[in-house]
Amino acid sequence: MESFNVNQQLAHALRAVVTGSGGEADASLRAAALERAAGGSPIAQPYDDLARQIGEAAYRVTDAHVVAVRDATGSDKGAFEIIMSACIGAGLSRWDAAVRAIEGAGDAAS
Amino acid sequence: MRLPDVERGDTLRSRTLIRIISAVSGIRLPDAARVAFYHKGFVGPMFGAWTQAAMRGPSEWSIGERELMAAMVAHWNSCTFCIGAHRAIAVRGTDPQTVNACLTDYRTAPIPERLRATLSFLETMTREPDKLDATHAQAAFSAGTSQAQLVDAAAVAAIFNIVTRYADALDFTIPTEEEFDKAAGMMLKRGYS
């Protein structure tokens, strides 16, 4: 199905950019933030508090969460990358769940 | 915004664009646009491409329906900025009373059953993704949603589960209702890319 293929390709491409080489923060840290916000294992502080909070309830993120990560990464860009990585992790995990559910229903119907 | 560099722009070009657009439009350029202009070497272009495809690409859902879905995801994630922004766009394609009824309780809102069933799927996807399974998808199919429609809706929800999170993590400034309305017009003209 075309819509499925287009969206899946874009989701995969987005994940690759998050965890790829084109950023200021370490790629492994971005990947860890992505996974943490999707419910993955704890990571080093102060990144863990921010990534977990973004995953669970981003409206509860505080100035202190962001300042701590900004100080740890050394730049606004670095902090931005961690925030976006976590946000994208939370979104992509939900996309994956939706794909499994839709494919599962398709399998059940066939 | 919590990161000043994102708010003001990281290049001469983006800072100039922010100033010009704000001056021409008569409103402070919303923070969502400032994020889209920032750090173009990172996820912005790819995320923009997915957002444009999901929100404005070919779909059996109208633009207004997809904006309503975005507003609902924002509601489930308690994101004030995105509720305001996407409600303002949704009401340009859907009766405002219907949009408001959905935001109050989509289960009783006067909407087609396939849209109601799709929103139910998206609610579980947003709030309890670990519990989402084939039965939720089947319920949407049984209500008349096509597989393509459910995939398209899931893409909208995935994207707005991302956007609502960075809107809140960065502490976006909340525009006035008039500013949301003006920004809605701009969003309908230029889209998300």
Side-chain angles (χ1 to χ4, degrees):
Chain A
M1 189 210 334
E2 191 178 346
S3 172
F4 176 78
N5 292 336
V6 166
N7 282 294
Q8 194 69 312
Q9 280 167 20
L10 289 165
H12 285 320
L14 182 61
R15 181 184 295 269
V17 173
V18 170
T19 57
S21 58
E24 283 194 7
D26 190 81
S28 63
L29 179 58
R30 286 183 260 126
L34 181 148
E35 294 301 332
R36 185 61 171 120
S41 303
I43 61 177
Q45 293 291 14
Y47 308 107
D48 190 73
D49 281 346
L50 178 58
R52 183 182 44 77
Q53 194 62 73
I54 284 172
E56 289 174 4
Y59 63 92
R60 292 206 181 109
V61 169
T62 65
D63 291 351
H65 285 133
V66 175
V67 164
V69 167
R70 196 249 174 256
D71 287 349
T73 60
S75 70
D76 279 20
K77 272 203 171 81
F80 177 79
E81 289 175 11
I82 301 305
I83 288 170
M84 293 302 287
S85 298
C87 295
I88 288 167
L92 288 179
S93 67
R94 284 161 174 80
W95 167 251
D96 291 341
V99 167
R100 284 192 299 271
I102 294 169
E103 286 184 327
D107 288 346
S110 60
Chain B
M1 250 203 272
R2 289 187 168 123
L3 296 176
D5 206 36
V6 183
E7 183 164 4
R8 64 176 161 251
D10 59 332
T11 64
L12 179 60
R13 183 176 184 274
S14 61
R15 283 183 217 124
T16 305
L17 259 177
I18 288 168
R19 271 192 231 111
I20 290 173
I21 296 171
S22 295
V24 168
S25 66
I27 63 171
R28 177 186 178 276
L29 185 68
D31 286 337
R34 294 168 194 253
V35 167
F37 290 161
Y38 186 70
H39 197 1
K40 291 275 198 181
F42 191 49
V43 298
M46 186 54 63
F47 186 60
W50 193 18
T51 307
Q52 178 68 12
M55 298 301 288
R56 297 291 185 269
S59 176
E60 293 170 46
W61 299 113
S62 68
I63 288 174
E65 285 170 329
R66 285 178 271 175
E67 292 288 345
L68 173 62
M69 291 173 192
M72 292 305 297
V73 170
H75 172 64
W76 295 320
N77 283 332
S78 304
C79 179
T80 305
F81 178 91
C82 288
I83 294 169
H86 297 284
R87 183 196 166 279
I89 307 173
V91 298
R92 288 180 176 230
T94 305
D95 169 29
Q97 285 187 321
T98 302
V99 173
N100 291 338
C102 283
L103 285 166
T104 300
D105 186 355
Y106 73 87
R107 292 174 194 85
T108 57
I111 56 175
E113 287 310 307
R114 63 184 169 85
L115 178 56
R116 191 186 328 280
T118 299
L119 290 176
S120 179
F121 181 92
L122 300 187
E123 183 176 16
T124 303
M125 178 185 164
T126 295
R127 291 186 140 151
E128 298 178 296
D130 292 344
K131 293 186 178 164
L132 191 69
D133 65 24
T135 62
H136 299 97
Q138 191 52 58
F141 297 153
S142 297
T145 308
S146 70
Q147 192 177 47
Q149 283 175 315
L150 199 56
V151 168
D152 287 353
V156 172
I159 283 158
F160 280 90
N161 269 284
I162 294 169
V163 178
T164 54
R165 284 174 165 78
Y166 66 70
D168 280 336
L170 291 169
D171 196 22
F172 279 8
T173 299
I174 306 300
T176 64
E177 207 168 306
E178 186 192 349
E179 288 170 334
F180 270 135
D181 185 59
K182 274 193 178 169
M186 293 194 302
M187 287 305 299
L188 280 169
K189 275 194 195 137
R190 71 173 296 277
Y192 290 89
S193 58

